[in-house]
Amino acid sequence: MDISKFKINFLGDSITAGSGVSDPANLFHARVARECGLAAARNWGVGGTRIARQQTPSNPVWDETFATRAEKMETDADVV
């Protein structure tokens, strides 16, 4: 399947955000975009975030769930 020209939103936590990566060109979304010729690769990774809502809030950034961030994403993505 040819995914070139696709627009993809990458949703995740610290791994998606690029924790531990020293060269931004090696971030997961950047590598996929480069190797597959994507029209757009958007990084919606935020370290420390979770899939599920927490009953006890700890940090405004970390407490935002994947689903909450998904609602804020660009709507023209072909894949999330």
Side-chain angles (χ1 to χ4, degrees), residues 7-27:
K7 296 177 185 175
I8 300 179
N9 292 344
F10 291 87
L11 177 63
D13 55 15
S14 57
I15 294 170
T16 305
S19 179
V21 177
S22 58
D23 182 354
N26 288 326
L27 292 169

Side-chain angles (χ1 to χ4, degrees), residues 2-79:
D2 180 14
I3 66 168
S4 66
K5 310 292 187 269
F6 273 34
K7 296 177 185 175
I8 300 179
N9 292 344
F10 291 87
L11 177 63
D13 55 15
S14 57
I15 294 170
T16 305
S19 179
V21 177
S22 58
D23 182 354
N26 288 326
L27 292 169
F28 180 74
H29 77 283
R31 290 187 65 116
V32 173
R34 183 173 57 251
E35 298 199 17
C36 296
L38 298 180
R42 303 170 184 131
N43 190 339
W44 282 86
V46 177
T49 58
R50 303 167 186 96
I51 294 172
R53 186 174 63 89
Q54 302 301 298
Q55 289 188 328
T56 305
S58 62
N59 179 305
V61 175
W62 298 339
D63 290 338
E64 188 173 48
T65 66
F66 285 23
T68 303
R69 284 203 319 279
E71 292 175 355
K72 298 177 182 179
M73 289 181 173
E74 297 85 352
T75 58
D76 66 340
D78 298 294
V79 178

